[in-house]
Amino acid sequence: MHENYINGEWVGAGEVNRNLNPSDTRDVVGEYARGDDAQARQAIDAASDALETWATWTSEARADALDRIGDRILADKERLGELLAREEGKALAESIGEVTRAGRVFKFFAGEAIRFGGEFLPSVRPGVSVEVSREPVGVVGIITPWNFPIAIPAWKIAPALAYGNSVVFKPADLVPGCAWALASIVDEVGGLPKGVFNLVMGPGSKVGNALVTSPKVDAITFTGSSDTGRRIAAECAVRGAKFQLEMGGKNPLVVLDDADLELAVSTAINGAFFSTGQRCTSSSRLIVEKGIHDRFVERMREATQALTVGNALHPDTQIGPVASQAQLDQDLSYIEAAKRAGCRLEAGGERLSLETPGYYLTPALFSQTRNDMPINREEVFGPVATVIEADDYEHALALANDTVYGLSSGICTQSLARATHFKRHSSAGMVMVNLPTAGVDYHVPFGGRKGSSHGPREQGSYAKEFFTNVKTSYTLAQGV
Ligand code: NDP
């Protein structure tokens, strides 16, 4: 059994989680410990006790540790990518890409551990000077979803450690494999003091809840659904813990009449369906100006039907299976509801039986949809995209912004004026021009607005806003 990692030791648990391959449900990826709240509390105590020793490490020593972890992830990217594809169902090439990103994130934050600084300012009072410095927050609880099983943990764990915090990491119950592999790399090559990094696999209702409610956990960084995020926010607010939430999206891609049709189609296909549509940044609403609408729908239908759905490990597969039976049921129920509501199914939306038994679904494209329909209001989190016709640019912009979410948005146009206006007026936290709404760099801030996010941005040097506390110190110089 793959065990939890607490205070530098591998520790078993009473319950076992059998991790199944969504491309072939006969294939058991491995057996993993399913911890509980008592184990989470042990890990929290270990993380709390480790803070003092950790504080004696120089920034250079922390940087070296993160750099070694990043190097090892990159050296192992084929093996880890295969594990990711096997447990989550993401097509192999994309899985290896995700692992590469995780390695790069650790190396980026190795540099940040040394680079980040403070400020030294003159005071408004004579003889006084002011320092603004940053200190670790303390024990950070890290709660992650199943759809990016190594990249999201990396972009939370690496900055937490870089800025001197200790960590208790709780991955999604559906994908313990990548989390365990990451913990084993931290154990083998990181050389961190005992208790600085802890992994507790187990259900959100027990392990996650213990992290959120413990007075010894100073901050919670969470990525997942809006419902869970709201509950975590309420708990943290009551006990005064710092929290950061990245949640759902209903991301619009606007296609204007002057767009390059082929570029718009490939941008929409990538944004809507790659990673089986299971990305918080997926282009789930395609908002298309009426002059190009019919041609766009026709080309999208052809391109959607041409996608190869299959076993995530097969090199020809473009779209892997849906990650779980529960997610598949959710996707199918949204597809049925959209059909009942009168949307036209242009392509896909069908359950597929392949050589290996898995949760295969052909990507679904709907046209003749309205922005007020549930399929356009609620996050499906699967390979399902809709087309909404817009009268003109102003109408398209209004539709794009008419959502409770605000994670990512995009526009396909050859007009610099329109692109510039859209970047300024989109209500999303990330805006793409002639690029898919999904797919971002690791050295710049990531995050949304409105119902998609809460708290400081993740990634890049902006990560320090969450993972450090600011201190302002005043000094009156004497004897000078
Ligand atoms: P969930 O909210 O169900 O789960 C996310 C994590 O929270 C899991 O580790 C889960 O544990 C844990 N959890 C569940 N209940 C609690 C609780 N009461 N207390 C503490 N932790 C808890 O989301 P999914 O895993 O289903 O992920 C899909 C969602 O994530 C989508 O809505 C998607 O949009 C969003 N997402 C957002 C991103 C962003 O950056 N904005 C990026 C990626 C995904 P367990 O596994 O045991 O349930």
Side-chain angles (χ1 to χ4, degrees):
M1 182 169 69
H2 299 78
E3 298 177 319
N4 281 327
Y5 185 68
I6 299 173
N7 204 22
E9 309 286 338
W10 294 102
V11 188
E15 278 189 53
V16 175
N17 179 3
R18 290 179 85 233
N19 186 6
L20 298 184
N21 176 352
S23 297
D24 182 351
T25 50
R26 301 165 306 185
D27 174 30
V28 180
V29 179
E31 295 195 334
Y32 293 85
R34 186 174 266 149
D36 57 12
D37 30 359
Q39 243 180 7
R41 282 194 292 274
Q42 282 171 22
I44 294 166
D45 286 344
S48 181
D49 292 347
L51 281 170
E52 211 174 310
T53 318
W54 193 214
T56 64
W57 274 43
T58 63
S59 55
E60 188 176 61
R62 285 202 304 271
D64 286 347
L66 293 176
D67 206 42
R68 283 194 298 272
I69 295 167
D71 279 341
R72 176 62 181 275
I73 293 171
L74 292 174
D76 266 4
K77 68 181 180 192
E78 310 283 338
R79 178 184 71 83
L80 292 168
E82 193 177 310
L83 172 66
L84 198 163
R86 217 172 133 212
E87 81 167 347
E88 199 268 351
K90 197 169 288 182
L92 186 58
E94 281 189 273
S95 295
I96 294 171
E98 183 182 331
V99 172
T100 305
R101 180 189 180 97
R104 295 271 170 221
V105 164
F106 270 95
K107 291 179 77 66
F108 175 84
F109 281 106
E112 284 296 286
I114 291 180
R115 259 192 303 270
F116 88 102
E119 286 176 281
F120 186 82
L121 300 95
S123 166
V124 294
R125 287 171 283 170
V128 175
S129 59
V130 185
E131 281 169 62
V132 181
S133 57
R134 289 182 180 274
E135 297 176 349
V137 179
V139 176
V140 177
I142 293 180
I143 302 177
T144 56
W146 49 261
N147 64 333
F148 282 91
I150 195 159
I152 292 180
W155 82 54
K156 293 179 187 293
I157 294 166
L161 297 178
Y163 299 122
N165 303 284
S166 60
V167 161
V168 181
F169 166 38
K170 186 224 119 38
D173 216 24
L174 194 64
V175 288
C178 286
W180 188 90
L182 183 55
S184 75
I185 289 176
V186 174
D187 176 48
E188 278 170 40
V189 305
L192 306 178
K194 282 181 191 309
V196 165
F197 171 84
N198 303 273
L199 166 74
V200 187
M201 302 172 283
S205 56
K206 290 183 180 168
V207 176
N209 188 56
L211 288 176
V212 171
T213 53
S214 168
K216 286 188 171 176
V217 176
D218 301 287
I220 294 283
T221 174
F222 166 85
T223 300
S225 63
S226 302
D227 284 351
T228 311
R230 271 192 286 271
R231 257 180 281 141
I232 288 176
E235 288 283 357
C236 288
V238 167
R239 68 178 184 84
K242 202 168 181 182
F243 62 96
Q244 171 187 58
L245 313 172
E246 286 300 338
M247 301 171 286
K250 199 68 205 171
N251 310 291
L253 176 71
V254 169
V255 179
L256 295 185
D257 285 350
D258 72 352
D260 174 324
L261 181 61
E262 288 311 309
L263 180 64
V265 169
S266 63
T267 301
I269 290 283
N270 176 320
F273 299 133
F274 283 16
S275 298
T276 320
Q278 298 171 150
R279 294 185 286 195
C280 46
T281 47
S282 282
S283 318
S284 48
R285 294 183 298 141
L286 308 173
I287 299 171
V288 185
E289 203 175 357
K290 66 180 175 205
I292 198 172
H293 176 272
D294 292 357
R295 283 178 292 140
F296 178 81
V297 170
E298 190 187 331
R299 280 292 298 119
M300 274 298 288
R301 187 192 313 120
E302 291 164 3
T304 305
Q305 284 167 342
L307 289 168
T308 307
V309 179
N311 189 313
L313 293 169
H314 289 177
D316 296 341
T317 293
Q318 291 173 289
I319 311 292
V322 172
S324 67
Q325 182 68 53
Q327 188 59 52
L328 179 65
D329 292 345
Q330 176 165 313
D331 297 350
L332 288 169
S333 88
Y334 272 107
I335 289 168
E336 286 312 310
K339 283 193 218 163
R340 281 198 305 277
C343 307
R344 182 195 282 174
L345 184 60
E346 298 283 349
E350 281 162 8
R351 189 81 171 81
L352 266 191
S353 290
L354 300 178
E355 208 176 305
T356 51
Y359 309 120
Y360 300 107
L361 176 66
T362 53
L365 177 71
F366 284 100
S367 67
Q368 299 187 0
T369 77
R370 289 193 323 272
N371 200 46
D372 61 358
M373 293 172 156
I375 189 91
N376 285 324
R377 307 307 293 174
E378 297 162 21
E379 185 178 50
V380 179
F381 217 55
V384 180
T386 63
V387 177
I388 306 168
E389 189 171 342
D391 298 334
D392 51 25
Y393 167 70
E394 283 70 26
H395 186 208
L397 175 64
L399 288 168
N401 286 340
D402 180 11
T403 168
V404 296
Y405 294 109
L407 188 55
S408 182
S409 70
I411 188 166
C412 292
T413 179
Q414 298 192 50
S415 158
L416 181 60
R418 287 275 156 78
T420 306
H421 188 273
F422 187 78
K423 282 194 279 186
R424 168 71 188 82
H425 294 279
S426 168
S427 63
M430 298 178 288
V431 186
M432 316 288 170
V433 177
N434 295 320
L435 285 167
T437 55
V440 292
D441 288 3
Y442 59 83
H443 65 300
V444 289
F446 175 96
R449 296 180 180 176
K450 300 196 282 187
S452 289
S453 303
H454 184 93
R457 287 284 184 267
E458 299 199 77
Q459 302 193 52
S461 58
Y462 282 65
K464 65 177 172 290
E465 295 304 329
F466 181 74
F467 290 103
T468 63
N469 282 337
V470 168
K471 181 174 278 173
T472 313
S473 315
Y474 296 84
T475 306
L476 171 64
Q478 287 192 303
V480 285

